[in-house]
Amino acid sequence: MQLGVIGLGRMGGNIARRLMKAGHSCVVFDQNPAAVTDLASAGAVGAANLGDLVAKLDAPRAVWVMLPAGEITESTIAALAAVLSPGDTIIDGGNTFYKDDIRRAASLREKSLHYIDVGTSGGVWGLDRGYCMMIGGDKETVDRLDPIFDTLAPGIGDIPRTPGRETFDSRAERGYIHAGPAGSGHFVKMVHNGIEYGLMQAYAEGFDILQNKDSTELPENERFTFNLADIAEVWRRGSVVSSWLLDLSAMALAENPSLSNFTGSVADSGEGRWTVNAAVEEAVSAEVLTAALFARFRSRQQHTFGERMLSAMRFKFGGHIEQHGN
């Protein structure tokens, strides 16, 4: 299939590369001309602006917007809608707030444009590992674009199949789902990221306790000096707490056991706050996720080894660079 891709950063560029590697064609645009040139050298068709991108796509067009949530995504989708034709589709693959998706879908429907929200997980590793996707939008449009989603997804791979799923939708086993109507994809991804905060915080606190077991505050015969890289590695091998986040932690500790290349100032990109707000709206208790979010706020004032662990994990899975200040 043919797809337009707007935003060629850490994930957008690799989405285009993964699609082209499987034989799909991509027309690409970014405010940075060098990023467009780079993708064009890999086989994409470069576009000079949004109008040029639309002109180079065959109807009915599908355009994937992969930009940071907020005003830049809002303005880009509005400008794109102005040059598309009835029957075309806009896909937002960023971390947009789900209520914005609901509003946009209704507005674009008045112009006979389709809107699909795709919560996309995979970070900087997606080119090789594939992307886990949670998709919202009307069934007909999602089904029509299935070859795109199927290519981007990880596939079944070597993960053991879950017993009893023989009659379920096979797409979930391949790494993507149609979650429901507009907004539902980003809602599922929002909660996914909220859970991610909690998981990361649990690992960070655990390693912080291990790191501080040699504290002079403890009786001398109760002090231990642990090799944290070895502990992370052994937990990867058959432990009930094994996960990809632990894999990345082990990698970071092997590279620098003190994590001195991180300060421990941990940013939050919005989804954790939105998840906590959703819990409040639904009157659902979410103590762990809320505490994990608040721990990130505190990390910008004083830093612990556990917070350097959080920074290391964020850098490893998403290429997130530490941001200093509030």
Side-chain angles (χ1 to χ4, degrees):
M1 292 188 73
Q2 187 188 50
L3 182 72
V5 180
I6 298 172
L8 307 177
R10 289 192 302 261
M11 292 180 69
N14 281 346
I15 282 172
R17 289 184 178 91
R18 186 171 174 89
L19 288 171
M20 291 188 296
K21 187 177 179 181
H24 298 281
S25 60
C26 292
V27 180
V28 301
F29 171 70
D30 192 280
Q31 292 289 351
N32 178 7
V36 177
T37 300
D38 184 47
L39 262 294
S41 68
V45 175
N49 50 54
L50 295 184
D52 188 32
L53 179 137
V54 169
K56 290 176 176 176
L57 291 168
D58 300 325
R61 304 167 185 85
V63 183
W64 186 302
V65 178
M66 201 66 182
L67 296 168
E71 178 55 35
I72 182 63
T73 294
E74 191 74 35
S75 61
T76 299
I77 288 176
L80 187 58
V83 293
L84 288 173
S85 301
D88 292 345
T89 301
I90 296 174
I91 304 167
D92 180 2
N95 283 324
T96 289
F97 184 44
Y98 78 99
K99 292 184 181 181
D100 290 335
D101 292 315
I102 295 171
R103 170 180 52 78
R104 283 184 200 151
S107 175
L108 293 173
R109 196 178 301 120
E110 295 176 358
K111 300 178 181 180
S112 297
L113 295 173
H114 303 287
Y115 180 82
I116 303 296
D117 56 286
V118 182
T120 311
S121 182
V124 296
W125 300 80
L127 176 60
D128 298 320
R129 289 173 57 103
Y131 299 92
C132 173
M133 291 169 290
M134 297 134 270
I135 305 165
D138 68 276
K139 183 179 186 302
E140 181 180 356
T141 304
V142 172
D143 287 349
R144 179 170 60 82
L145 296 173
D146 188 77
I148 295 294
F149 303 132
D150 189 45
T151 297
L152 291 174
I156 291 179
D158 58 1
I159 298 175
R161 303 187 76 171
T162 302
R165 280 202 56 90
E166 292 77 14
T167 60
F168 286 65
D169 188 337
S170 67
R171 289 178 294 185
E173 289 186 304
R174 287 178 274 144
Y176 66 110
I177 60 168
H178 180 199
S184 63
H186 276 147
F187 187 85
V188 175
K189 177 58 162 49
M190 176 190 79
V191 176
H192 164 284
N193 283 23
I195 292 170
E196 179 185 293
Y197 279 38
L199 291 172
M200 292 173 68
Q201 188 65 30
Y203 281 126
E205 291 177 7
F207 278 103
D208 209 2
I209 294 168
L210 291 167
Q211 169 75 3
N212 285 284
K213 186 55 179 168
D214 65 354
S215 169
T216 56
E217 299 296 318
L218 297 171
E220 188 171 357
N221 66 339
E222 294 182 11
R223 299 175 199 165
F224 303 133
T225 300
F226 290 116
N227 184 317
L228 299 188
D230 281 356
I231 291 173
E233 188 63 32
V234 76
W235 283 353
R236 294 181 60 216
R237 314 277 175 181
S239 163
V240 73
V241 299
S242 60
S243 72
W244 187 36
L245 285 173
L246 184 60
D247 294 345
L248 298 174
S249 300
M251 190 184 304
L253 287 165
E255 292 170 357
N256 183 350
S258 70
L259 301 181
S260 58
N261 49 325
F262 297 97
T263 67
S265 178
V266 186
D268 67 287
S269 51
E271 301 90 337
R273 302 187 191 206
W274 299 339
T275 303
V276 170
N277 288 339
V280 172
E281 290 176 354
E282 299 166 17
V284 170
S285 178
E287 297 98 327
V288 172
L289 306 192
T290 303
L293 175 64
F294 288 174
R296 294 195 177 197
F297 296 163
R298 189 196 55 74
S299 79
R300 297 161 209 170
Q301 299 171 359
Q302 55 179 318
H303 309 311
T304 66
F305 182 83
E307 281 147 6
R308 294 202 295 276
M309 193 81 233
L310 285 171
S311 283
M313 281 187 272
R314 293 185 82 246
F315 178 74
K316 282 297 182 185
F317 73 70
H320 300 289
I321 305 298
E322 287 183 329
Q323 297 178 7
H324 304 291
N326 295 327

